[in-house]
């Protein structure tokens, strides 16, 4: 199969990829062209997640694709993993969010901090998409400052009682397993809450104008009894959830490049065929300036994530480097989506085109997983050695 | 059973084709390649037949060294082994390709040899049947269904207004028509597994090229269309033009 869409490659970045990485990229690109693009606008309009995609994505192994094969995952390198996120987000940020949460925020902590029994129980199912996961960190009163969380887990007999509320939880309502972070007498710890546990519910949040093809939920935990075997034993403190976020942000930095390439491709094609004043609107200097700026920013963003992937594969990547990539790439993608919307004129506001949907989606991506401002402060602290937000 | 799918790399449909400076070949700059879509049906069918009756699937191509990417794609779909007959010749005619493939097939065990019905670059639709002739094997072109019996294959092909059913002895040659199946995606695990599968190069003497392309030029620009008006009011004028100018009514 081949798709019409070719992405943007002004700097022959393809030459930096291995044959295997290009195959991964092309496979997911075709999958997105055939399975996501034709149906996604309708789901965004209806405010529904395309459930049919879950087993299909599982079948081609996109979930937790950089985790090892012994747990049912593909065992890919991190650039391949990034390319998967890039292509998924070209389809829709909601679809990429689903995969990010499943892989980086649920499978990763179980793999990294879980017991062998937890890994054997959950990872193969999550990889296949026969089980869905969510990640509960944010609370109604604790967003950028998760250390202040009030959800608590207290010991009761051999197990635990988890009590509190989480908010803005992607996949919450769908999830079979929720990785919930709670205060304990030993600092913050992670627990695996399972669908159907007494006192645990996850109502969907409504009224979103962004990521409409993604489910976002509250987690309500009313004295939920959780057995000790559901505690993630191998991490304590905020570094647990933060290390997951580093994984997810890494994927987001790649994903944003996909969204930017998608809207850019659409706008270039549109501008070459739309005639005003007797000429294609692509011939006007004001539009060409926009394309020149966008192709420059997309190229820079591509090089940033490629290098970041190399660092990650070499075990040298720092969270601050991830902050730079997430902050920059989401910002340039959001700017590109708005600019492309503008180039499409009135058509740009229709959901027949992708620019407005991507622009609206990227508003969430700009805010979640550390807001633009928080990453600015992370970089400021990295440069000056002075924390400005604590 | 030994299944062999013969595949060709072709420019993907989104590639803008330009004529090269020699005026006789395609300019390869900026062209990306994929497995010929009809050949993908052939690979998929071989995989399905293997899943039913057991055996091995080999993919075989005659092409430049870069074809390894397309062969890896087939390995990632699930083929067991790939064979590349390296050929850097820019111009090749169907018979010379078929001769190279037939020579290669003499060294590759085969019960069913599957081709796409045609390659979407040159659209000759000859190679599969030429190979069958060279190897003296029975062949049916453009099949949409295949069932294997003991020592036989029962296949269907769509013909004008009817469906033809054939039985032929194995070994045989089949060419795939659209509708035969829906090719699977290469899974990401499959891509990893493909790394450790064998991609062999086979040196065979290519056949002599006897058809020469003298000239290649882009199609002439289509004359501009005519808009006779809008809505129902335009119908009489349209009918008149269709009758008198186009003479199709
Ligand atoms: C669609 C969606 C899905 C989400 N999915 C998940 C999920 O699956 N799991 C999960 O745990 N969370 C999730 N989140 C939550 C997300 O991570 C938080 O919204 C984010 O961390 C910001 O928190 P907040 O919304 O409470 O904003 P606040 O922290 O209240 O911030 C509001 C504004 O103030 C700024 N600000 C805050 N502190 C500072 C400071 N010190 N200096 C300068 N500026 C500051 C922020 O940058 C922002 O602009 C999701 C959010 C959305 C929108």
């Amino acid at each position: 199969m081949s798709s019409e869409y070719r992405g943007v490659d002004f700097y022959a970045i393809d030459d930096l990829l291995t044959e295997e990485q290009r195959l991964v990229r092309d496979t997911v690109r075709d999958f997105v062209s055939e399975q996501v693009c034709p149906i996604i606008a309708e789901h965004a309009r209806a405010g529904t997640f395309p459930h049919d995609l879950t087993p299909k994505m599982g079948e081609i192994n996109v979930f937790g694709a950089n985790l090892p094969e012994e747990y049912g995952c593909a065992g890919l390198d991190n650039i391949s993993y990034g390319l998967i996120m890039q292509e998924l987000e070209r389809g829709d940020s909601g679809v990429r969010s689903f995969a990010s949460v499943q892989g980086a925020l649920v499978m990763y902590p179980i793999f990294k901090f879980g017991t062998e029994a937890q890994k054997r129980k959950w990872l193969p199912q999550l990889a296949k998409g026969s089980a869905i996961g969510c990640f509960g960190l944010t609370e109604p009163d604790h967003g950028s400052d998760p250390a202040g969380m009030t959800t608590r887990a207290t010991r009761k007999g051999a197990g635990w009682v988890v009590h509190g509320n989480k908010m803005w939880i992607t996949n919450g309502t769908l999830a079979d397993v929720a990785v919930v972070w709670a205060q304990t007498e030993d600092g913050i710890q992670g627990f695996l809450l399972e669908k159907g546990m007494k006192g645990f519910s996850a109502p969907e949040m409504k009224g979103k104008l962004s990521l409409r093809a993604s489910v976002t939920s509250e987690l309500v935990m009313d004295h939920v009894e959780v057995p000790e075997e559901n505690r993630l034993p191998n991490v304590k403190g905020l570094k647990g959830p933060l290390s997951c976020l580093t994984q997810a942000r890494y994927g987001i930095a790649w994903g944003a490049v996909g969204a930017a390439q998608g809207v850019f491709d659409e706008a270039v094609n549109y501008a070459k065929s739309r005639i005003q004043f007797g000429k294609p609107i692509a011939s006007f200097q004001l539009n060409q300036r926009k394309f020149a700026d966008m192709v420059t920013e997309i190229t820079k963003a591509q090089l940033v994530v490629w290098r970041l992937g190399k660092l990650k594969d070499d075990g040298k990547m720092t969270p601050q480097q991830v902050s730079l990539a997430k902050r920059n790439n989401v910002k340039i993608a959001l700017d590109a989506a708005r600019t492309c919307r503008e180039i499409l004129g009135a058509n740009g506001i229709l959901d027949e085109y992708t620019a407005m949907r991507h622009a609206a989606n990227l508003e969430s991506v700009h805010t979640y997983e550390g807001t633009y401002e928080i990453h600015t402060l992370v970089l400021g602290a990295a440069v000056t050695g002075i924390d400005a937000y604590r | 059973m030994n299944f062999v799918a013969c595949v060709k790399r072709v420019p993907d449909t989104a590639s803008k084709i330009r004529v090269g400076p020699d005026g006789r070949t395609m300019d390869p700059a900026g062209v990306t390649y994929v497995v010929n879509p009809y050949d993908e049906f052939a690979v998929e069918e071989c995989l399905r037949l293997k899943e039913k009756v057991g055996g091995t699937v080999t993919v075989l191509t005659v092409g430049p060294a870069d074809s390894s990417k397309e062969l890896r794609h087939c390995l990632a779909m699930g083929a067991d082994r790939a064979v590349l007959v390296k050929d850097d010749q820019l111009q090749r005619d169907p018979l010379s390709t078929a001769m190279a493939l037939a020579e290669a097939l003499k060294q590759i065990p085969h019960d069913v040899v599957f081709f796409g019905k045609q390659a979407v670059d040159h659209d000759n639709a000859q190679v599969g049947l030429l190979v069958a002739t060279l190897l003296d094997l029975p062949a049916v072109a453009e099949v949409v269904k295949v069932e294997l019996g003991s020592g036989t294959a029962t296949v269907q092909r769509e013909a004008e207004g009817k469906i033809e059913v054939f039985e032929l002895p194995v070994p045989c040659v089949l060419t795939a028509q659209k509708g035969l199946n829906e090719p699977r995606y290469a899974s990401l695990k499959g891509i990893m597994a493909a790394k450790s599968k064998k991609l062999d190069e086979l040196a065979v003497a290519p056949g002599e090229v006897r058809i020469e392309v003298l000239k290649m030029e882009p199609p002439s620009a289509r004359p501009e269309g005519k808009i006779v008006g809008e809505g129902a009011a335009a119908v009489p004028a349209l009918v008149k033009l269709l009758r008198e100018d186009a003479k199709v009514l």
Side-chain angles (χ1 to χ4, degrees), chain A residues 18-31 59-62 65 69 73-77 80-81 83-84, chain B residues 68-79 184-197:
Chain A
T18 63
E19 186 174 87
E20 174 193 325
Q21 288 164 348
R22 276 181 277 145
L23 273 175
V24 167
R25 193 261 325 272
D26 292 350
T27 297
V28 182
R29 179 172 288 176
D30 287 352
F31 178 86
E59 213 167 289
I60 63 164
N61 318 120
V62 306
E69 286 169 88
C73 307
L76 296 176
D77 65 84
S80 295
Y81 174 81
L83 290 164
I84 297 170
Chain B
S68 66
K69 173 168 175 278
E70 284 64 46
L71 290 176
R72 287 267 175 232
H73 170 80
C74 299
L75 292 173
M77 284 174 76
R184 69 196 66 189
Y185 294 99
S187 73
L188 306 182
K189 274 190 210 171
I191 293 171
M192 286 298 280
K195 274 206 295 192
S196 52
K197 288 182 183 170

Side-chain angles (χ1 to χ4, degrees), chain B residues 100-235:
Chain B
L101 286 168
E103 279 310 306
L105 282 163
K106 285 181 189 161
Q107 302 177 46
I108 302 169
H110 54 271
D111 295 301
V112 176
V113 184
F114 235 118
F115 291 80
K117 70 160 181 163
Q118 70 195 76
V120 301
D121 51 358
H122 294 295
D123 288 320
N124 286 314
Q126 294 183 25
V127 171
L129 298 177
L130 287 171
V131 168
T133 308
L134 291 169
L135 294 177
D136 194 22
L137 292 176
V140 176
E142 302 185 16
V143 303
V144 292
K145 193 166 180 218
V146 180
E147 254 161 57
L148 293 176
S150 56
T152 59
T154 308
V155 303
Q156 290 185 10
R157 73 190 290 266
E158 282 169 1
E160 193 87 14
K162 59 180 186 244
I163 290 195
E164 295 173 339
V165 182
F166 298 94
E167 191 184 88
L168 62 171
V170 166
C172 63
V173 169
L174 301 172
T175 78
Q177 169 65 301
K178 194 178 157 115
L180 176 62
N181 54 44
E182 191 65 53
R184 69 196 66 189
Y185 294 99
S187 73
L188 306 182
K189 274 190 210 171
I191 293 171
M192 286 298 280
K195 274 206 295 192
S196 52
K197 288 182 183 170
K198 277 179 60 163
L199 198 162
D200 298 321
E201 283 184 24
L202 199 60
V204 298
E208 185 198 343
V209 176
R210 286 185 291 187
I211 296 177
E212 201 184 347
V213 177
L214 297 180
K215 204 159 128 193
M216 196 184 265
E217 49 188 21
S220 50
R222 261 192 291 171
E224 228 175 293
K226 198 186 275 180
I227 296 174
V228 293
E230 244 179 71
V235 172

Side-chain angles (χ1 to χ4, degrees), chain A residues 135 137-138 143-144 168-170 211 367-369 371 373 377 389:
Chain A
F135 176 88
L137 178 66
T138 306
S144 298
W168 298 109
I169 307 307
T170 303
L211 286 189
T367 286
Y368 72 25
E369 297 270 352
T371 66
E373 292 72 26
L377 300 177
Y389 58 104

